[in-house]
Amino acid sequence: MKAVFVAEGGGVVVKETSMPTVEDGEILVRMKACGIDGTDLEKAYGKPLTPPMLGHEVVGVVEESKSEEFEEGDHVFVHHHVSCGKCYFCLNGSLTMCPLFLKTTIIPCGLAEFFKVPRTNLERGSVLKLPSNLDWVEACFIEPVACVLRALKRAGFFAGRSVSIVGAGPTGSLFIQLLKMLGASSVIVAEISPLRMGYAKMLGADVVVNPIQEDFIQACREKTEGRGVDIGFLATPSVKPLQLVIESVRRGGVVCIFGAPEKGEKTAIDFSSLFINEKNIVTSYSTTEVETNMALDLLKTGRTFFKKTVTHVFGLADAEKAFETARDASKSLKVVISP
Ligand SMILES: [Zn+2]
Ligand SMILES: [Zn+2]
């Protein structure tokens, strides 16, 4: 079978690899759709923070089951990481900080014709059954939508809040859709790719600004009687625009770092202004079964259309082209692999 791996010296390579053997309590899944996201690109081209496995926004059909809970033919979403539920971090609500979290994975990866789900993942509830009529491409948004739902919770978002988003890439676009769906009073977006600016408007952003050509901070103030927004999200793969997000937020507001910075990345911020204006910085890394279940429930309502952000679908054999396309912000938004 074929699977995609990080190539030596950068990029990705499609390789022939052996089919995983399914042990007691495990399942084998035939991949039907898998989204490429910013952390995959970071693994392929940058200095990644997370393990080198590619493809974690994955859905498919159970091909073989040695688990009592699943049968051949079940449509499933699989989350690659799980927490133990017993350690100090889990008991204190920091589920993604559980020592087990980054040790758990699927084998060999999500960007493979088939992959197996280890027993621990199954026992901890990482595999969700999907309705058989749920569209595969829409379903592969469960993981990224879950990540965004968790970030909204960590940032204290609720209806009526004004929000800025720096970066309208694949995830920034999900923020726009979810925030409009959940009743944000205004959503103000900074993005430099004309293609992605167009998508941001189409998805319902109230104001979309190219921060190189226009004053983004001014745009945020104009929408909020001069105050600045309640919450600002940094949804870029670099932490460089953090100061822009901080300045877009009102006094006493919240800044949420969402995009994964490269390993060791630093940036300069004005701490005196941060302090005297009592702005809070929170981060949001990954997601848990709490939010993947919420995301699935949301998709089951039939009222979502996250796949509107998909600009390209490639076959697994064309993964190299898919990654090159996903990397080019001028040409693509969400890129999905489907066998
Ligand atoms: Zn734990
Ligand atoms: Zn993701």
Side-chain angles (χ1 to χ4, degrees):
M1 65 160 206
K2 287 186 178 58
V4 187
F5 300 94
V6 175
E8 241 177 89
V12 301
V13 57
V14 183
K15 274 193 207 163
E16 204 55 48
T17 181
S18 56
M19 191 87 133
T21 335
V22 180
E23 314 281 346
D24 235 20
E26 299 182 333
I27 59 171
L28 184 73
V29 178
R30 177 193 290 268
M31 187 266 279
K32 295 299 278 183
C34 185
I36 296 178
D37 94 337
T39 55
D40 290 315
L41 294 174
E42 207 167 77
K43 286 167 193 178
Y45 304 107
K47 285 181 240 149
L49 264 180
T50 48
M53 186 215 75
L54 294 173
H56 59 271
E57 302 177 351
V58 65
V59 287
V61 180
V62 176
E63 180 80 7
E64 185 187 346
S65 175
K66 288 190 180 168
S67 150
E68 278 169 18
E69 276 177 79
F70 293 90
E71 285 174 22
E72 269 171 46
D74 280 347
H75 291 198
V76 290
F77 158 80
V78 178
H79 190 209
H80 57 316
H81 292 322
V82 284
S83 45
C84 76
K86 300 182 285 214
C87 72
Y88 185 88
F89 300 95
C90 285
L91 294 176
N92 283 280
S94 304
L95 302 186
T96 62
M97 298 296 106
C98 172
L100 187 68
F101 199 75
L102 276 177
K103 282 188 204 140
T104 44
T105 188
I106 49 180
I107 297 156
C109 62
L111 283 177
E113 277 179 80
F114 298 92
F115 60 89
K116 84 162 177 176
V117 185
R119 187 180 197 136
T120 323
N121 293 48
L122 281 150
E123 284 174 350
R124 296 294 306 154
S126 80
V127 183
L128 311 183
K129 270 185 205 163
L130 305 175
S132 56
N133 61 347
L134 188 61
D135 181 86
W136 289 117
V137 174
E138 187 70 9
C140 77
F141 281 92
I142 291 173
E143 197 272 349
V145 164
C147 289
V148 172
L149 290 174
R150 185 163 181 274
L152 296 181
K153 191 161 63 179
R154 288 178 63 79
F157 172 79
F158 44 86
R161 300 276 87 178
S162 54
V163 177
S164 69
I165 302 164
V166 172
T171 320
S173 302
L174 293 183
F175 270 101
I176 298 170
Q177 290 182 85
L178 283 162
L179 285 163
K180 291 308 285 185
M181 200 183 284
L182 299 172
S185 59
S186 47
V187 176
I188 304 141
V189 174
E191 171 59 48
I192 52 176
S193 149
L195 174 86
R196 293 178 172 191
M197 288 177 78
Y199 268 93
K201 281 178 206 148
M202 187 267 281
L203 296 170
D206 297 284
V207 182
V208 183
V209 164
N210 179 334
I212 297 169
Q213 293 160 357
E214 295 163 86
D215 191 339
F216 177 62
I217 310 302
Q218 189 55 33
C220 290
R221 291 194 182 137
E222 270 167 25
K223 271 288 190 189
T224 53
E225 295 167 342
R227 290 186 303 264
V229 297
D230 297 307
I231 305 171
F233 290 99
L234 179 65
T236 58
S238 161
V239 83
K240 300 261 172 333
L242 181 60
Q243 184 65 31
L244 191 67
V245 185
I246 294 173
E247 284 174 38
S248 75
V249 166
R250 68 163 166 85
R251 303 189 78 197
V254 176
V255 171
C256 179
I257 301 176
F258 183 85
E262 280 200 327
K263 195 167 191 174
E265 196 182 344
K266 294 181 179 69
T267 189
I269 56 173
D270 179 346
F271 280 96
S272 64
S273 148
L274 196 67
F275 176 80
I276 202 68
N277 292 306
E278 214 174 50
K279 295 183 184 180
N280 301 297
I281 296 187
V282 298
T283 54
S284 191
Y285 161 65
S286 196
T287 186
T288 72
E289 275 41 84
V290 179
E291 299 88 14
T292 56
N293 276 286
M294 283 202 286
L296 174 56
D297 285 345
L298 190 60
L299 263 68
K300 279 184 185 166
T301 65
R303 293 201 299 263
T304 65
F305 203 50
F306 296 117
K307 67 175 183 181
K308 268 196 283 203
T309 61
V310 175
T311 51
H312 300 79
V313 180
F314 287 96
L316 191 67
D318 291 326
E320 283 177 54
K321 214 168 141 202
F323 270 72
E324 285 299 331
T325 307
R327 194 187 182 190
D328 188 346
S330 70
K331 292 204 181 78
S332 71
L333 189 52
K334 188 69 174 178
V335 177
V336 170
I337 301 260
S338 178

